Amino acid sequence: MASLVRRLTWSSQQRPRLRGSDTTPAKEGLLKKKGHVRRNWLNRWFKLTPSGLHYYKDKETAAMHPTKPQGSVQLFGCTVKEDLFQRHENVFTIWSADGKDYHMQAGSKLEMLEWITAIQKASKEKFAERRLTSVSDVPQEVHEGPKGHERARSQSSDCS
């Protein structure tokens, strides 16, 4: 039982650490988050930053230790939508690319829609950032085109 408890709790070394530039939030606020283990709803302070969606125990903890969130949600490849199947109102769910689902409850319908929009925008920006990085990392070859014109051609298998 003790080993299970150790595996379920985060040590300070396992918690994600943010760099200084990653702590400036695009949006922040109080949401209720449904737990993954106990499945109860707890108030958490959320910060949406360029590196992801990070949550803290409360606003004071976020202010005192901005680089040590309690947990993070990776936004690259995530899907976020209003969750109409929950018993509570103003609930939205984030399905991350690694298969985890995160249920959050906002204080109002408007606040929920603002969070959904902000997270979708951040996810798209993260996707575009990764796409640009992966395309720029592909080595370029110069091929001779028709009538002696040279053109750069990517070795990637992407058609775009």
Side-chain angles (χ1 to χ4, degrees):
M1 181 68 170
S3 64
L4 177 63
V5 171
R6 263 186 266 131
R7 276 187 273 147
L8 294 177
T9 58
W10 289 53
S11 73
S12 61
Q13 291 135 351
Q14 291 174 314
R15 286 192 178 151
R17 290 192 176 260
L18 305 178
R19 294 174 297 220
S21 62
D22 288 340
T23 60
T24 306
K27 182 167 181 59
E28 65 180 311
L30 186 67
L31 295 170
K32 287 188 176 188
K33 179 184 162 298
K34 190 172 186 179
H36 279 98
V37 178
R38 298 182 96 192
R39 308 303 285 173
N40 55 341
W41 292 87
L42 295 171
N43 287 329
R44 294 288 179 246
W45 187 259
F46 281 83
K47 285 186 175 186
L48 181 60
T49 67
S51 62
L53 181 63
H54 311 285
Y55 56 93
Y56 303 81
K57 185 177 179 181
D58 51 36
K59 186 176 183 177
E60 292 75 28
T61 305
M64 289 173 44
H65 306 287
T67 60
K68 297 179 185 177
Q70 188 170 356
S72 297
V73 180
Q74 295 303 316
L75 299 180
F76 177 74
C78 79
T79 302
V80 58
K81 290 185 180 176
E82 181 176 2
D83 193 339
L84 301 173
F85 298 104
Q86 294 291 327
R87 288 185 278 170
H88 304 281
E89 292 181 347
N90 309 320
V91 174
F92 61 97
T93 301
I94 301 173
W95 292 274
S96 66
D98 61 2
K100 290 184 181 175
D101 58 330
Y102 299 87
H103 304 282
M104 269 76 90
Q105 182 182 26
S108 68
K109 179 90 169 176
L110 177 63
E111 186 183 1
M112 177 193 67
L113 295 174
E114 288 173 353
W115 274 105
I116 290 172
T117 303
I119 292 168
Q120 287 173 337
K121 181 181 176 193
S123 177
K124 287 177 185 175
E125 288 172 357
K126 203 67 168 159
F127 180 79
E129 178 184 299
R130 285 247 178 118
R131 177 111 171 102
L132 288 174
T133 303
S134 64
V135 169
S136 64
D137 290 342
V138 175
Q140 300 284 319
E141 288 181 356
V142 176
H143 294 278
E144 196 170 306
K147 299 182 183 177
H149 296 300
E150 292 183 347
R151 59 188 171 102
R153 186 175 187 189
S154 172
Q155 288 182 343
S156 72
S157 61
D158 192 14
C159 297
S160 53

